[in-house]
Amino acid sequence: MARDNHGSPQEDAALISLSPSTSSSPRPQRVFSDLPDELLQAGWEKCWSKRESRPYYFNRFTNQSLWEMPVLGQHDVISDPLGLNAAPVPAGEGGVPTTPKETKPPKRRLSEESAATDVTKKLKMEPTPTPTPAVPSSPAVPGVSVEEKQFANLIKTTDVYWDLDIQSNVVVKPPPTSHLLPPPSQSLPPHPEVELLRSQLVLKLRQHYRELCQQREGIDPPRESFNRWLLERKVIDRGPDPLLPSECDPAVSPSMFREIMNDVPIRLSRIKHREEAKRLLFKYAEAAKRLIESRRASPDIRKVVKWNVEDTFSWLRRDHLATKEDYMDRLEHLRRQCGPHMAAVARDSVEGICSKIYHFSQDYVKRIREKHLALLRDANIPESAPVAPSPDKRVFCHPVRLTTPALPGQGGVDVQQDGSLVCVRYKGESVRINQSYFSKLFQLYRLSSTDDPGSEKFLPRVWCLLRRYQVMFGTAQYEGSGLQGALPVQVFQALHRIFGVTSECFASPLNCYFKQYCSAFPDTDGYFGSRGPCLSFFPVSGSFEANPPFSEELMDAMVTHFENLLESSDQPLSFIVFIPEWRDPPTPALTRMEESRFKRHQLILPAYQHEYRSGSQHVCKRDELYYKAVHNTAVLFLQNEAGFQKWTPTPERVQELSAAYKHSGRFSNSSSSSGGSEKEPTREEGTSKDSVNN
């Protein structure tokens, strides 16, 4: 059931690149690399000048060019022309290249050397408090390429779209013995080297998927079907990797199979004009004929498909006055007549694609696991054995605490500011984030991380987190942003004020509003406040917001999980769920919630009259933060009896929640300009307190 538009080849081509270039100018041709590691990490490359027929040295970070080999510690002539921040170069160091006498920088005075030494000592030893008291003092991070003063500027709060001061009194219990998913605390701690390998293998797996679809079915992979495959697989995966599946039954993904079959024999796009409809009908008939001739099919199937295709060609040659609607009706007729036969013929091939991608993923998980365990062995860190918690133990909700200690020596990550963006880089691979969200991550880290009081591992963990989400949802522009869409800030404020909501069931450190939330990756996100995946989270009491990614299998598993929690708890427990109102055909999750005995009220928000915050809000521009929902959104209140008594969705409260959508993002501007007599953009279905289902 394909619900989303498909991407253009230009967008999908961006999958080939993992990280953006650090410069918009063309890169010089790199001829060979015989430079010391220190210079390579500082961005220097040895290149060849065609005009001068001689080698020269180019810095890809600063775009600086030198004829002679640069000196490690030499100041940047662009950002520091007087050399005030340059560190002195000790004479006779073995790993530092020397320059001819005439090219050596002039010797600095003693006062300059003292000042430079003091800056270095200050960076390594003395944390400097930030000017604003709301932001914690900046950490002393060894090996960072910026001074503490510059780092303090990076973590200054500018735009705020969250409230990290809201406390939660949620009580949780351990998962039952029947729960099959791996415990979040058993995840291995993240490391940039492992995350770099994982990102490379995920990109390779995406490329395999594209090639298989093109070679076997002659189509491009359905847009974001790979992303939904990852979501659907993790619902049932019992493997050790936080991203790639390796222990799933069945091996063939229903989500991936369904989306590929919807595009066989060709992908159908939205039609606006008559000529487009005519062209699409011709292409579909031609593709159906080609498919049936190139596959093994029974004589009866070949006869039916070929007869309908030839009849369509005859109709196209004969009827020159057909309208757009005539062409679309004919296309629908051809799909009804030939679709089941083509699906039967292509079934084995499409199942082969799904199975092959899954087995590739299994091999990649094994490679990642071996790399991770080798790093742990080198650091003399044993892998922690699973610990069975007491089933009766109930505690206040807290972030995930990994049982395996973090790996030491996570250096090599540097950070620099690029306008309003912060660029975090490891081994030449860059990830970017808006400065305000970088500040948010630092605040979440200081609130949630307990094993790093000096924040020395902050930058490596930020790089791992950003890299994880970048490769999970793809590198094409706007890819995956719909799967990470969030509610507007005003709606979160209303949920907290009216219904006591303090936690989110589906969020990330990047798009969360509260500091307590569930997210997909306990290993990277736990240091930033995550309580682990929602399906492995077992609250006893509390009021929660749930806006799941639009994966049918994940939403269906969410309903099962919520009903089990509501059934087993006698404390006030409430879930306010936001999902698309898909009716053609209806999704199992929506149907089950509408029929659930825990449903206390239902609210429908019409399409184009409400909005979401972009899933790429941490990197997008301010005017791209919000987008209008193209489908209706169903808001359902699932509550046990105690939760219903405490947070009853009365008409007044529901009306106040609906009004919050009118004051959020772009919608507030458009509604205010159209006048104040606009009808309420909601439709309500629910039960009163006197007619609660048993």
Side-chain angles (χ1 to χ4, degrees):
M1 191 182 307
R3 303 286 185 182
D4 299 283
N5 298 335
H6 299 292
S8 63
Q10 292 82 358
E11 289 177 343
D12 293 339
L15 285 171
I16 301 175
S17 174
L18 265 176
S19 61
S21 175
T22 56
S23 173
S24 59
S25 59
R27 289 281 297 274
Q29 182 179 5
R30 182 177 179 180
V31 289
F32 47 82
S33 176
D34 57 355
L35 298 177
D37 292 339
E38 293 84 354
L39 292 179
L40 292 175
Q41 293 178 4
W44 288 101
E45 297 176 353
K46 191 172 183 179
C47 306
W48 184 260
S49 172
K50 295 182 179 180
R51 184 184 64 184
E52 300 292 336
S53 299
R54 57 181 291 196
Y56 70 99
Y57 302 89
F58 174 77
N59 192 306
R60 65 177 185 273
F61 298 156
T62 64
N63 288 340
Q64 182 182 0
S65 300
L66 296 176
W67 287 116
E68 303 297 339
M69 182 179 291
V71 178
L72 187 65
Q74 183 176 357
H75 68 273
D76 184 359
V77 297
I78 298 176
S79 62
D80 187 18
L82 299 180
L84 298 179
N85 294 326
V89 183
E93 286 191 357
V96 180
T98 59
T99 58
K101 183 176 180 181
E102 61 272 13
T103 61
K104 289 184 179 179
K107 183 177 180 180
R108 298 205 302 267
R109 296 189 298 271
L110 182 60
S111 60
E112 294 177 342
E113 295 181 356
S114 300
T117 306
D118 290 341
V119 170
T120 306
K121 290 181 179 179
K122 184 177 180 181
L123 172 64
K124 294 184 177 181
M125 298 175 58
E126 301 176 5
T128 304
T130 58
T132 54
V135 181
S137 59
S138 58
V141 186
V144 178
S145 60
V146 295
E147 299 178 5
E148 276 209 352
K149 184 176 180 181
Q150 294 172 306
F151 188 86
N153 291 331
L154 295 180
I155 60 175
K156 283 182 179 179
T157 304
T158 54
D159 300 326
V160 177
Y161 304 102
W162 47 85
D163 190 343
L164 306 183
D165 294 329
I166 295 177
Q167 302 297 325
S168 175
N169 58 354
V170 174
V171 176
V172 297
K173 63 181 180 180
T177 55
S178 59
H179 186 64
L180 301 179
L181 297 180
S185 60
Q186 297 298 317
S187 303
L188 296 180
H191 190 277
E193 197 67 30
V194 178
E195 203 58 43
L196 181 60
L197 174 63
R198 179 181 288 111
S199 65
Q200 293 169 346
L201 293 179
V202 172
L203 178 65
K204 190 175 181 180
L205 190 61
R206 287 180 181 272
Q207 190 63 30
H208 281 314
Y209 179 46
R210 173 178 295 278
E211 292 172 355
L212 287 172
C213 288
Q214 292 173 341
Q215 293 170 2
R216 295 194 178 191
E217 303 302 328
I219 62 172
D220 288 330
R223 189 187 180 200
E224 298 198 14
S225 60
F226 186 89
N227 302 337
R228 282 184 287 271
W229 173 76
L230 290 174
L231 293 172
E232 178 263 327
R233 295 279 85 183
K234 297 310 289 186
V235 172
I236 60 174
D237 181 45
R238 300 174 61 185
D241 194 82
L243 180 57
L244 291 174
S246 60
E247 296 183 25
C248 299
D249 186 24
V252 175
S253 163
S255 171
M256 180 177 284
F257 176 83
R258 181 174 62 243
E259 295 197 42
I260 296 177
M261 290 297 292
N262 284 339
D263 282 4
V264 173
I266 65 170
R267 181 171 61 196
L268 300 179
S269 56
R270 294 182 180 179
I271 302 302
K272 296 182 179 180
H273 307 290
R274 174 182 176 276
E275 290 301 318
E276 292 180 357
K278 180 179 180 181
R279 192 180 309 115
L280 185 64
L281 176 60
F282 180 82
K283 286 184 177 180
Y284 188 91
E286 200 174 45
K289 181 180 179 181
R290 186 168 56 250
L291 173 69
I292 211 67
E293 290 177 347
S294 61
R295 306 290 177 89
R296 294 182 179 179
S298 65
D300 291 339
I301 290 179
R302 290 181 185 274
K303 182 178 180 181
V304 170
V305 173
K306 285 189 175 182
W307 186 89
N308 281 279
V309 168
E310 292 300 329
D311 183 58
T312 300
F313 286 151
S314 299
W315 183 82
L316 285 170
R317 289 190 293 266
R318 183 175 63 252
D319 197 339
H320 300 287
L321 301 177
T323 64
K324 170 191 169 184
E325 288 71 22
D326 294 333
Y327 288 122
M328 297 305 296
D329 291 342
R330 191 76 187 190
L331 175 60
E332 185 61 29
H333 171 76
L334 185 61
R335 290 187 66 190
R336 284 197 305 266
Q337 296 297 320
C338 300
H341 301 297
M342 290 187 294
V345 171
R347 181 181 183 86
D348 291 342
S349 175
V350 175
E351 286 184 347
I353 294 175
C354 302
S355 178
K356 200 171 188 65
I357 290 299
Y358 173 69
H359 289 105
F360 275 137
S361 178
Q362 284 183 312
D363 294 339
Y364 292 164
V365 168
K366 184 178 179 181
R367 290 174 56 181
I368 296 169
R369 183 79 173 176
E370 290 174 351
K371 174 76 171 180
H372 215 153
L373 294 177
L375 291 175
L376 290 173
R377 285 194 300 269
D378 293 342
N380 295 321
I381 298 177
E383 184 181 1
S384 299
V387 178
S390 172
D392 299 328
K393 184 178 180 181
R394 297 186 178 187
V395 297
F396 284 108
C397 179
H398 60 79
V400 173
R401 304 282 184 252
L402 302 183
T403 56
T404 304
L407 284 159
Q410 300 183 17
V413 180
D414 58 23
V415 60
Q416 65 180 20
Q417 189 164 6
D418 182 11
S420 62
L421 296 175
V422 175
C423 178
V424 188
R425 182 171 45 244
Y426 176 73
K427 289 192 173 180
E429 297 293 343
S430 301
V431 286
R432 300 193 176 197
I433 182 173
N434 285 331
Q435 180 184 343
S436 57
Y437 285 83
F438 185 79
S439 171
K440 173 191 179 183
L441 291 181
F442 184 72
Q443 295 179 56
L444 286 171
Y445 189 79
R446 295 297 295 268
L447 289 169
S448 306
S449 177
T450 59
D451 67 336
D452 187 22
S455 301
E456 296 178 354
K457 298 183 178 69
F458 170 69
L459 287 181
R461 288 171 175 174
V462 164
W463 188 88
C464 292
L465 182 148
L466 295 176
R467 191 61 156 183
R468 177 76 58 83
Y469 281 96
Q470 181 189 54
V471 300
M472 178 184 184
F473 290 109
T475 55
Q477 188 179 20
Y478 305 121
E479 184 179 6
S481 60
L483 298 176
Q484 297 186 86
L487 302 181
V489 173
Q490 288 78 3
V491 177
F492 272 118
Q493 293 172 344
L495 289 172
H496 173 64
R497 182 179 65 256
I498 305 168
F499 298 104
V501 173
T502 60
S503 300
E504 301 167 67
C505 293
F506 298 92
S508 73
L510 302 172
N511 68 4
C512 66
Y513 177 79
F514 305 106
K515 64 181 177 182
Q516 44 272 337
Y517 58 91
C518 293
S519 67
F521 308 120
D523 58 333
T524 56
D525 301 354
Y527 300 110
F528 300 89
S530 173
R531 271 58 175 169
C534 178
L535 300 183
S536 298
F537 182 63
F538 291 85
V540 178
S541 64
S543 182
F544 300 86
E545 175 267 353
N547 178 28
F550 299 159
S551 164
E552 295 184 32
E553 290 77 11
L554 176 59
M555 291 190 292
D556 194 43
M558 172 199 71
V559 176
T560 301
H561 185 56
F562 286 175
E563 289 189 332
N564 291 337
L565 293 174
L566 292 167
E567 181 73 37
S568 61
S569 176
D570 57 356
Q571 301 296 316
L573 189 59
S574 171
F575 298 96
I576 304 177
V577 184
F578 297 74
I579 66 169
E581 191 196 21
W582 290 334
R583 299 288 185 184
D584 187 24
T587 57
L590 179 59
T591 303
R592 289 179 58 194
M593 284 192 290
E594 289 179 332
E595 298 173 353
S596 173
R597 70 186 185 91
F598 296 107
K599 190 197 84 169
R600 309 297 179 169
H601 195 85
Q602 182 171 350
L603 177 69
I604 303 298
L605 303 172
Y608 301 103
Q609 297 188 33
H610 68 289
E611 60 193 6
Y612 287 94
R613 284 179 61 82
S614 171
S616 57
Q617 57 184 273
H618 58 286
V619 292
C620 70
K621 299 177 181 178
R622 187 189 297 269
D623 57 355
E624 298 173 349
L625 277 175
Y626 292 91
Y627 63 91
K628 294 293 182 69
V630 297
H631 47 69
N632 293 353
T633 295
V635 185
L636 298 105
F637 293 77
L638 303 180
Q639 300 169 329
N640 61 7
E641 185 60 35
F644 182 55
Q645 296 293 336
K646 187 171 183 178
W647 300 295
T648 306
T650 63
E652 295 78 16
R653 290 178 173 178
V654 173
Q655 183 67 26
E656 188 176 352
L657 175 62
S658 303
Y661 274 99
K662 285 194 170 184
H663 304 287
S664 59
R666 296 178 304 179
F667 186 72
S668 60
N669 298 332
S670 60
S671 61
S672 61
S673 61
S674 60
S677 59
E678 186 176 356
K679 186 179 178 181
E680 285 295 330
T682 57
R683 185 170 80 249
E684 297 184 22
E685 303 172 11
T687 58
S688 66
K689 189 174 180 179
D690 298 329
S691 59
V692 179
N693 294 332
N694 295 326

